[in-house]
Amino acid sequence: MAIGVLALLGFQLVDSAFIARLGTAPLAAQSFTFPLSFLIIGIQVGLGIAIAALISRALGAGEGARARRLGSLVLAAGALVIALLAVVLWAVQAPVFRLLGADGATLALIRGYWAPQLLAAWLGAALYFGYSLFRAHGDTRLPGKMMVVTSLVNLVLDPLLIFGVGPWEGLGLPGAAWATVMAFAVGLAVLGRRLLATDWLAREGLGAELRASARPFAGIAGPAMISQLMPPLAAMLAISVVAGLGEASVAAWGLASRLETLSLMVVLAMTMSLPPWLGRCYGAGDWDQVHRLMRLALRVVLVWQLALGLLMALAAPWLALALSGNPEVRDDLATLIRFLLPSYAALGICMIVVSAGNALGWPLRAMLMSGARLFLFYLPCLWIGARLGGLVGLAAGAAVGNLLAGLAAWQVLRRILASPRRRAATATP
């Protein structure tokens, strides 16, 4: 999972790095689209969680025919939902991007980029649903390999389509989106061929299965999507604050956002791999092992992210130079790196605790904790910092918000695991 996450996040950062060579305006235009792109990803991840849960439960119960019907239904329904969302986001692009702070010139750049980017988002969602189906059947290797393959295809196509080759002129900003479209199309072709070689899909009985499974599917997908949609909403509010600081700050913020997800690669991989282990311990009532696992996970996150963050903060000028050719954007990006990257140690702790909550029987608390991180700590501190100190204040405020969220999550985890009911469960047969 770490390799797949690295490849997937790496090609997003590569997109931004190539676009940065076009200038500040195209990079700022791309940065304005991030919140809406995260909105699509949030819904797709929530649907993917429900896909994997329902199909794996059916397989565990020996209901192979039902698992095949579910496989066909969720692939079709998921693709339809994301397609409808893409159409809506295309229709409302102008008022939404104006609300986020984009001016007329930026809207013109976004208009040429947004259509192929929405197509890429739909193809990526369909690919993700296919990955979820493979994971539900116990195959994690193919999704990991395909993440790497699509990333490499995108890496090769990005400079060709953005800048052109020989006498052929590139497409500029839209070229980045078309490179992603082609990369995801290659991934879907390979995945579709592999699916045809399996017996994981069905054509009959889909109507009855839809009526029987709609409610449990919504029961899983609904809370998961709410949790996944909070970060995009927070990102929209954050970009509106950053927009008040100027175009260069928006461009730098977009690059810093890409760098954030890449630097959290280990944490993201742990949030995917730790819950199944914790779930087994929870089912067995082995709370001693839960305590040991959580202590180990939190120590790894704290040490790794703090060391990585301090190292990247020291290398901030060179990182900014590698990611942007504009001096103003470089300076703003270096400032953001110095403040934000070390604070991701605390952010990683919060992410691990939220992920563990879904496995340890307190999903509502996990969802509330995720909301508190964004809307009680992060956004207020970011807004206050921007009002008091411009970009430096914004960066410092965001770092303080991450720190407060990490401390709060750690205290919540301590109280939950120290409760008599959790300890008594160890003795329960």
Side-chain angles (χ1 to χ4, degrees):
M1 290 311 304
I3 294 172
V5 169
L6 175 62
L8 190 61
L9 298 178
F11 98 60
Q12 294 174 349
L13 185 62
V14 164
D15 270 359
S16 296
F18 280 124
I19 291 171
R21 303 298 172 184
L22 294 173
T24 303
L27 183 59
Q30 188 206 28
S31 299
F32 275 111
T33 68
F34 288 166
L36 297 187
S37 296
F38 292 153
L39 173 67
I40 298 173
I41 291 172
I43 292 177
Q44 109 186 9
V45 170
L47 293 174
I49 291 171
I51 289 171
L54 283 183
I55 294 176
S56 60
R57 288 178 188 178
L59 291 172
E63 300 174 342
R66 180 168 182 253
R68 288 191 289 273
R69 292 193 297 270
L70 285 170
S72 298
L73 278 175
V74 294
L75 289 181
L80 178 61
V81 167
I82 299 300
L84 292 175
L85 178 61
V87 171
V88 171
L89 291 178
W90 166 255
V92 302
Q93 60 177 297
V96 169
F97 288 125
R98 283 197 189 97
L99 187 63
L100 292 177
D103 57 23
T106 304
L107 281 173
L109 287 172
I110 292 174
R111 193 172 296 111
Y113 173 75
W114 194 225
Q117 179 60 23
L118 286 173
L119 176 59
W122 180 77
L123 292 173
L127 194 57
Y128 180 82
F129 296 148
Y131 292 161
S132 298
L133 182 59
F134 273 82
R135 283 196 292 264
H137 284 269
D139 186 347
T140 57
R141 289 189 176 185
L142 182 66
K145 290 178 181 178
M146 291 313 303
M147 287 179 186
V148 175
V149 169
T150 53
S151 299
L152 292 175
V153 172
N154 182 80
L155 176 63
V156 172
L157 292 177
D158 254 345
L160 299 179
L161 295 181
I162 294 173
F163 304 112
V165 57
W168 183 73
E169 293 186 4
L171 301 174
L173 179 60
W178 285 114
T180 306
V181 167
M182 294 180 185
F184 284 157
V186 170
L188 274 175
V190 175
L191 200 73
R193 184 176 179 181
R194 289 292 299 271
L195 271 177
L196 291 175
T198 69
D199 61 346
W200 296 349
L201 302 176
R203 296 182 179 179
E204 298 179 355
L206 299 183
E209 187 61 48
L210 177 62
R211 291 188 292 272
S213 299
R215 180 171 293 180
F217 183 83
I220 299 171
M225 281 192 288
I226 291 173
S227 295
Q228 294 295 326
L229 289 177
M230 284 190 287
L233 176 58
M236 290 181 190
L237 297 174
I239 198 74
S240 66
V241 174
V242 179
L245 302 177
E247 189 177 70
S249 295
V250 173
W253 184 262
L255 287 172
S257 299
R258 294 301 202 195
L259 195 59
E260 171 187 321
T261 51
L262 186 63
S263 68
L264 289 168
M265 174 196 69
V266 171
V267 177
L268 292 170
M270 289 179 68
T271 61
M272 298 175 192
S273 58
L274 187 63
W277 198 353
L278 291 172
R280 286 194 291 271
C281 296
Y282 174 78
D286 189 357
W287 285 97
D288 287 337
Q289 179 72 343
V290 168
H291 279 258
R292 287 193 293 269
L293 284 171
M294 289 306 298
R295 281 197 298 268
L296 176 61
L298 294 178
R299 286 172 184 167
V300 169
V301 168
L302 184 62
V303 172
W304 167 260
Q305 288 300 144
L306 191 57
L308 179 64
L310 291 174
L311 180 63
M312 296 180 81
L314 291 173
W318 296 278
L319 277 173
L321 179 62
L323 293 173
S324 177
N326 182 289
E328 191 177 357
V329 174
R330 273 205 310 266
D331 292 342
D332 287 353
L333 180 58
T335 299
L336 292 172
I337 290 172
R338 289 191 185 99
F339 280 95
L340 292 179
L341 268 295
S343 75
Y344 293 159
L347 174 59
I349 289 175
C350 187
M351 292 171 64
I352 290 293
V353 173
V354 169
S355 176
N358 293 312
L360 296 176
W362 30 281
L364 180 59
R365 289 182 182 177
M367 186 180 72
L368 292 176
M369 194 184 311
S370 182
R373 173 182 81 83
L374 294 168
F375 301 107
L376 187 60
F377 300 119
Y378 177 72
L379 284 174
C381 290
L382 181 144
W383 181 79
I384 292 171
R387 292 295 295 266
L388 295 178
L391 183 78
V392 174
L394 178 140
V400 170
N402 287 335
L403 179 61
L404 292 176
L407 291 172
W410 181 63
Q411 289 294 335
V412 169
L413 180 68
R414 285 187 63 189
R415 284 199 299 270
I416 290 174
L417 294 184
S419 67
R421 183 171 64 87
R422 302 290 179 182
R423 295 196 179 279
T426 307
T428 302

